[in-house]
Amino acid sequence: MKYCPNCGAQLSDDAMFCPACGARFGAPQQPYQQQPYQQQPYQQQPQYPQQPQYPQQDAPVKGKKRSIVGWVVAILVGVAMVAMKMGW
Ligand SMILES: [Zn+2]
């Protein structure tokens, strides 16, 4: 048993409207379909830090250069030592 919120008349539980005042209230209070998530930041994509600079590429190059310089120095030293041994 429920009562009309408008006039207070006794109503059946399944009454869709008040027979006394005609107020419609039977429809259960459906939650409004208001989507509270309208502010979804789709545009804010996760920031992928673009790293165009690969600092690791410099190290091998320097290493190669350094190794080349080392080889050249070693060869020059070897040639010089050979030349010294040959009595130049
Ligand atoms: Zn009523």
Side-chain angles (χ1 to χ4, degrees):
M1 187 66 71
K2 64 183 179 181
Y3 297 90
C4 174
N6 187 25
C7 65
Q10 291 183 358
L11 307 170
S12 62
D13 292 336
D14 59 352
M16 298 299 292
F17 63 92
C18 176
C21 67
R24 295 178 66 86
F25 54 86
Q29 294 180 353
Q30 294 177 353
Y32 293 100
Q33 294 179 352
Q34 294 178 352
Q35 295 178 354
Y37 297 102
Q38 291 179 352
Q39 295 180 352
Q40 292 179 355
Y42 286 107
Q43 294 179 351
Q44 293 181 356
Q45 294 178 353
Q47 295 178 354
Y48 294 103
Q50 295 179 354
Q51 295 179 351
Q53 296 178 352
Y54 296 99
Q56 292 182 353
Q57 287 183 351
D58 292 338
V61 172
K62 289 181 179 177
K64 285 183 179 179
K65 287 181 179 178
R66 190 172 297 171
S67 65
I68 291 170
V69 172
W71 274 104
V72 171
V73 172
I75 291 169
L76 291 175
V77 172
V79 170
M81 288 182 72
V82 170
M84 288 176 69
K85 283 185 179 179
M86 290 178 69
W88 290 3

